[in-house]
Structure formats: structure tokens, C-alpha cells
Amino acid sequence: MSRPAATQAPTSSDGAAAETPSKPGPPPGGRRADQPAAEVPNAGIDIAGIDVDRAAAVLTGVAQRTRVVRSAHLSRLTGVPVWCKCENEQRTASFKLRGAFTRIALADPKVRARGVVAASAGNHAQGVAYAAARFGVPATIFVPAGANPTKIARTRRFGAHVELVSGDVDAALLAAESAAHDLGGLLVHPFDDPIVIAGQGTIGLELIEQIPGLRTVLVGVGGGGLIAGIATALRQRRADVRVIGVQAAGAPAFVRSWRRGHRLWVPATTIADGMAVRSPGSLPLALAADLVDDMVTVDEEAFWEAMVMLAQGDGQTVEPAGAAGAAALLRHPGCAQGPTAVVLSGGNIDQATAGRVRALAAESLRTPAA
């Protein structure tokens, strides 16, 4: 099936034109500045193996069926109805609960009983901690030392043991893999796991039921588990719905890998800590190669503008990564075609970020419109 591209090309944070959006293909010849991580096939992934319906059954009574809210501002801006999917109102204030709980619930009980191990910048950590507590098993979460302190504190309140790691999420993942091997316990990967992806895909099932005539979904992307899950669910039920990924211009590993057709290691510097991943997951990228229609990047200021707009106009408290879809429509309104959903993926905002959002909102009220 031919899947249409977005109508407006993305730009980089310095205003320069970004690479032309397209489906991934063979990389051009010659050495690149980006460091290849590993080859990933662009086809041959059996999406029937991503059992979103089974995940939905597992999550019954655990994950909330989060509401959708019409965004008056984004609807006016784009000229089409735009709805916000409020995963920021989920238990643990993030979509990550869906995948983490599904993975732990479907694990071998003997392995699960030896303990659960994970790595995260904070939202996946809370999902894993919550799920482990529900099953009465210990959880150890490896978190970058510079992670959001609000997310760390909430993870500990769910009963998990938090190990701070020097470096970024990639360093935390290495530490978690080593600990799971030594423990013989269950490693719950934040995105590169088919069961985790299926859990995240339950959002797609809900969107189909909640938004009549849904045509476009915008999803923030880090390692890719969320967009892979939603795109899989939509392809299985509504293949006509367009799926567009959104990344920070300062952390574009997934979008660059998607365009080149294989995984790349790319530096990540962004206020959106939930998407500050230097290389995408192998399985999410392979799924996205077939299922994702387009990807765009947005500058750092767009995240702030989106958080302010969502707070003022829609009464939504979201963290930077959670505002990615709205930020994309502020910069690329042409991405919205027909009834559109933006996934507000998380609301675990730290005090400093929340304070700046309030200050920017107050400043905008004092400043007359041009």
C-alpha cells in the first residue's frame, strides 16, 4: 500500500531544511559522520507476532483507558479536528506502564520471582516499579545520575531500588543487562521487546474507538517502542491511518536511522529527556520501516511553546517529550490531515521545568498578540 508523506518538510533547529522525508532505503555511498550501529532489515517483520489484543486483555483493570480531549488551539491552527490522547493522566503519569506491566505479567513466573531489572530515564522506571509491586517481586532500576529527580523519587515510592549510573540511558541499559544476567532475573527493556511494544500498542486500539474517522496520529519517539506499538495496532485494524513520528532536533537518532535504513548512533542533547536516546531499538526501527508514514524533528523552543499552549488552552500538564506531537503541529501544521490525534505521552514534569512553563505562560498573557 502506498502511504502518503506529510505535506510540509521538517526543518532543523537552526532553521535549515532537514533531509527530505521518505521511506528508508539503501544508504548513499561514502563515509558518514553518523556512526552505524547495526544493519536492520526494512521488511520481513511479522506484525502478527506483536499481540496487541493479548496485551489489552492483560491490562484490563490495570492501565486506564485515558481520555481524548479536543484541542481548540491546534484545531484552529491546522484547520482539522485535533485530539489529545491524555497518557499524562495514566497511572504513573506515562504510557510506559502499559508495556512494562504487560512484559512482567507475561513473563515466566520463576524468572519474574528472581527479580525485575530495568533501565530508564524515569518514566519506564515508574512503570516497571508499579508492575513489580503488583506482582510482589523486587525491582532494581538503573537510572542516569542526572535524571529528573521527580521521576526518581516517584520510582522509589513505588518500592523499587534505584541505582544511579554515571552517563546516559545507554550506560544505564548496559548496567541493567549485566545485573539481570548476574541475578538471573527478568530484564524489562524500555522499547526493544515485542511484548513491551504490544503493550504500548493498546493506545492505538483505544484511539480507533475514541476518535471517529481518525486519519492521522502524531507520536513522540525516543527508542521507538511507542510508535512501533501504535503503528502495529493501527495497521492491524485501520491501515488507512497515517502515523507520524516526532523527535527533538537535538536527539534525532530514530529519524535519521529511519531515513537511512539502518541504526545509527547519534548524539542526544534535548530538554525532552524521555527521547534522549542515541540509537533506536532494532525491532522498533524494523517495524517503523514498514509502518510509519513520516517523521519530523522540532527545535527546543517548540517544546516550551507546546507545553505552555497545552497548559493554557487545554489544561494539560505535560513533560517536554509528552508535548512532542503538539510541538510538531506548531512547526508543521500540514502534518495534520483529517481528524488527528497527538499522544501526550507523559506528565512527569520536574519543578524547574514546571516553573519555567508557568513563567512563560504568565509572560504570554502580559504580551499583546502581534
Side-chain angles (χ1 to χ4, degrees), residues 134 152 208 320:
R134 287 284 295 258
I152 293 174
I208 293 170

Side-chain angles (χ1 to χ4, degrees), residues 52-53 65-66 68 83 85 201-217 229-243 339-341 343:
V52 182
D53 290 308
R65 180 188 173 92
T66 53
V68 294
W83 301 84
K85 177 64 169 166
T202 58
I203 295 173
L205 299 182
E206 293 175 13
L207 286 172
I208 293 170
E209 296 175 353
Q210 291 175 309
I211 303 177
L214 178 68
R215 291 308 304 262
T216 305
V217 179
I230 290 176
T232 297
L234 292 174
R235 175 62 69 88
Q236 291 172 345
R237 300 292 181 85
R238 282 280 311 279
D240 60 316
V241 178
R242 301 166 63 248
V243 180
T340 295
V343 180

Side-chain angles (χ1 to χ4, degrees), residues 60-79:
T60 300
V62 177
Q64 295 176 331
R65 180 188 173 92
T66 53
R67 62 190 182 128
V68 294
V69 178
R70 176 80 173 264
S71 172
H73 181 87
L74 291 175
S75 297
R76 286 194 302 269
L77 177 67
T78 62

Side-chain angles (χ1 to χ4, degrees), residues 20-100:
T20 302
S22 63
K23 299 299 284 183
R31 183 181 178 89
R32 293 186 301 272
D34 299 315
Q35 175 65 46
E39 294 301 318
V40 173
N42 286 347
I45 299 298
D46 181 11
I47 65 171
I50 310 296
D51 197 341
V52 182
D53 290 308
R54 185 186 187 192
V58 167
L59 290 170
T60 300
V62 177
Q64 295 176 331
R65 180 188 173 92
T66 53
R67 62 190 182 128
V68 294
V69 178
R70 176 80 173 264
S71 172
H73 181 87
L74 291 175
S75 297
R76 286 194 302 269
L77 177 67
T78 62
V80 301
V82 177
W83 301 84
C84 296
K85 177 64 169 166
C86 301
E87 285 297 294
N88 56 315
E89 298 175 355
Q90 185 60 260
R91 291 188 177 94
T92 75
S94 165
F95 77 94
K96 289 286 192 176
L97 169 66
R98 296 176 183 260

Side-chain angles (χ1 to χ4, degrees), residues 271 300-301 304 308 350-362:
I271 184 65
E300 294 294 280
E301 190 61 28
W304 293 108
V308 171
D350 62 62
Q351 293 183 0
T353 302
R356 185 177 179 193
V357 170
R358 288 192 297 269
L360 290 171

Side-chain angles (χ1 to χ4, degrees), residues 101-127:
F101 189 92
T102 303
R103 184 67 187 87
I104 292 172
L106 296 178
D108 181 327
K110 293 181 180 179
V111 176
R112 184 174 62 209
R114 290 197 285 268
V116 172
V117 181
S120 170
N123 284 341
H124 180 62
Q126 292 175 78

